[in-house]
Amino acid sequence: MAERKRILSSHSKEIVYNVSKFFESMIQPTSTPVKAHTERAAEATLVSEATIRRIRREKNEKGRLFSPERQKVRGPYKPVDDFDKCAIRQKIHEFYTVRRQLPTIDRLYESLKCDIYFPGGKSLLLKIVKELGFKWKRSQTKRKVLIEKDAIVEKRIQYLNRIKDYRKKGMNLVYIDETWIDTAYTAKKCWQHEDECGLNLRLHEIQFDNKLLRPQLLALAKANNQTPKYVIDNIARERGHDILRLPPYHPDLNPIELIWNQVKQSVASRNVTHRIDDVLKLAHEAVADITVSDWEKTCRHVAIIEEEYRKRDIVIDEQMERLIIDLADSSDSDSDNDDNV
């Protein structure tokens, strides 16, 4: 078996180089070839002659010796699911409402490592908080802190107000959702219909040329910047139904998501073959185990979450004035260089 190649640091290289120079100085250059110096240095340092020649060449060409760059060893990737993301949002809110501290990435990362065993590093956390609709603002201490985008907060407040009104009126609430499950728990991709942009423009009665390409249609829709209208909303309204959409990035407000998470946990705990037929069987069994009582408890739990969001939004709004200055004038930063803020 071939001997494993050794990696020499700059300090080790310096020792090898000095040993080589020592043997060179001890022998008369007129009587002994340079190769003999290298052989004796190789025997003394237990490195190959080729390595000694490379070290001497590096020293002569660059004037100093360098340690090789170490490659980072990455562990297996552990996906962050929607409920972990909800926990991240709640943890950011907790900094304002409970700890009364500014939520920086460093503080958030350390807290999540302890509370939910966050599987990634700060770069992954930065990516997730941006996906959740958070941005950077300058604090009184000149440090950048995370706050939720106004558009996300506004949509959440609108949703909470409307569903509270529905509950007060005793209206029947019907939740719908789409989800997936397979042997590896990977989501399926779908293609958006190429005429969807044109349909949205027609719903807003915006004139456009049918020959426009998709990027041009998107630019036209963005320029008009109107709230999207959906055909299904009109169909439902004609039949006496009202459609209320969840605010972005809030799966914890949908009981189906909570029940489905229970199903997936059950499948994951018993999935030993990773065969699709077995996974389907386990999924059917897990769904069959869900009782009416489970649904009732989940719906009550969602109502509690709604109330918690209402209370947190009020507290955060009050704390924001005390902790953050010049929100309207400060510039947002989406740079990944904010890891250590």
Side-chain angles (χ1 to χ4, degrees):
M1 182 180 294
E3 184 179 354
R4 185 178 179 181
K5 183 179 179 180
R6 288 191 296 170
I7 299 177
L8 300 179
S9 65
S10 59
H11 179 68
S12 299
K13 287 182 179 180
E14 195 70 40
I15 294 175
V16 172
Y17 177 80
N18 290 335
V19 170
S20 174
K21 294 295 289 183
F22 170 77
F23 282 115
E24 182 181 4
S25 65
M26 294 295 292
I27 301 176
Q28 295 295 329
T30 56
S31 60
T32 307
V34 176
K35 183 178 180 180
H37 312 159
T38 306
E39 290 177 351
R40 296 183 66 182
E43 293 176 359
T45 58
L46 300 179
V47 299
S48 67
E49 296 179 32
T51 299
I52 293 177
R53 287 192 290 270
R54 282 197 300 269
I55 292 174
R56 291 174 65 99
R57 185 165 56 250
E58 179 182 346
K59 181 75 170 183
N60 294 334
E61 293 177 355
K62 300 181 179 180
R64 55 172 297 190
L65 299 169
F66 298 88
S67 297
E69 295 183 0
R70 294 184 178 181
Q71 295 183 349
K72 294 183 179 180
V73 179
R74 298 183 180 272
Y77 173 71
K78 298 179 180 179
V80 179
D81 61 24
D82 289 339
F83 289 93
D84 287 335
K85 293 179 180 179
C86 288
I88 292 173
R89 176 190 290 105
Q90 292 172 6
K91 183 60 64 175
I92 296 174
H93 289 174
E94 180 184 301
F95 274 93
Y96 285 105
T97 59
V98 179
R99 301 188 182 191
R100 306 300 172 97
Q101 291 180 329
L102 297 175
T104 64
I105 280 294
D106 285 339
R107 290 173 177 172
L108 180 62
Y109 178 73
E110 293 301 324
S111 181
L112 291 172
K113 291 290 285 186
C114 296
D115 293 350
I116 67 170
Y117 303 102
F118 184 72
K122 293 181 183 179
S123 59
L124 176 60
L125 181 57
L126 278 167
K127 180 180 179 181
I128 291 174
V129 295
K130 292 173 187 175
E131 291 175 353
L132 290 175
F134 287 87
K135 61 183 179 181
W136 298 103
K137 286 295 183 181
R138 187 76 65 179
S139 72
Q140 291 176 330
T141 58
K142 305 303 180 183
R143 303 182 72 184
K144 291 178 181 177
V145 296
L146 286 169
I147 66 170
E148 209 164 6
K149 291 183 179 179
D150 294 336
I152 302 296
V153 177
E154 181 183 3
K155 289 182 179 180
R156 181 171 63 236
I157 293 174
Q158 290 177 354
Y159 172 86
L160 294 174
N161 288 339
R162 287 182 62 184
I163 199 166
K164 183 178 182 180
D165 184 57
Y166 292 161
R167 294 185 188 279
K168 186 180 296 185
K169 293 178 179 178
M171 298 176 64
N172 293 324
L173 302 179
V174 179
Y175 292 89
I176 61 174
D177 191 23
E178 58 181 16
T179 187
W180 51 266
I181 188 170
D182 61 19
T183 57
Y185 296 113
T186 55
K188 300 293 187 295
K189 296 182 179 179
C190 63
W191 293 99
Q192 187 180 31
H193 194 278
E194 62 180 357
D195 196 41
E196 185 174 341
C197 294
L199 177 60
N200 192 41
L201 291 172
R202 290 191 184 94
L203 288 172
H204 287 92
E205 299 180 352
I206 300 173
Q207 300 296 323
F208 64 94
D209 189 344
N210 290 327
K211 296 181 180 180
L212 291 179
L213 300 179
R214 180 177 178 79
Q216 295 172 300
L217 293 174
L218 287 170
L220 183 60
K222 185 176 181 180
N224 285 272
N225 195 25
Q226 298 189 27
T227 303
K229 294 182 179 179
Y230 302 94
V231 175
I232 189 65
D233 290 13
N234 295 331
I235 296 175
R237 195 174 297 110
E238 291 172 357
R239 288 160 175 77
H241 303 291
D242 192 10
I243 293 180
L244 176 60
R245 290 178 174 81
L246 290 172
Y249 322 117
H250 287 71
D252 51 339
L253 294 176
N254 189 343
I256 297 178
E257 290 281 0
L258 302 179
I259 289 292
W260 188 245
N261 183 63
Q262 181 178 334
V263 170
K264 290 204 293 185
Q265 293 296 329
S266 175
V267 172
S269 65
R270 297 186 293 163
N271 181 18
V272 294
T273 65
H274 300 281
R275 294 172 53 189
I276 188 62
D277 292 340
D278 294 335
V279 170
L280 284 173
K281 181 181 178 181
L282 292 174
H284 285 301
E285 292 174 354
V287 171
D289 289 338
I290 302 297
T291 64
V292 174
S293 177
D294 291 330
W295 280 106
E296 291 175 345
K297 288 189 293 185
T298 301
C299 290
R300 287 196 296 268
H301 180 66
V302 167
I304 293 174
I305 294 176
E306 293 170 4
E307 189 60 31
E308 289 176 350
Y309 270 123
R310 293 188 188 96
K311 293 178 180 178
R312 283 204 298 264
D313 284 338
I314 294 174
V315 175
I316 291 174
D317 187 67
E318 294 173 349
Q319 291 296 318
M320 202 69 69
E321 294 184 5
R322 184 178 67 85
L323 297 176
I324 307 295
I325 60 173
D326 298 330
L327 290 184
D329 298 331
S330 63
S331 59
D332 300 343
S333 173
D334 290 331
S335 172
D336 288 342
N337 295 326
D338 291 326
D339 296 43
N340 297 319
V341 297

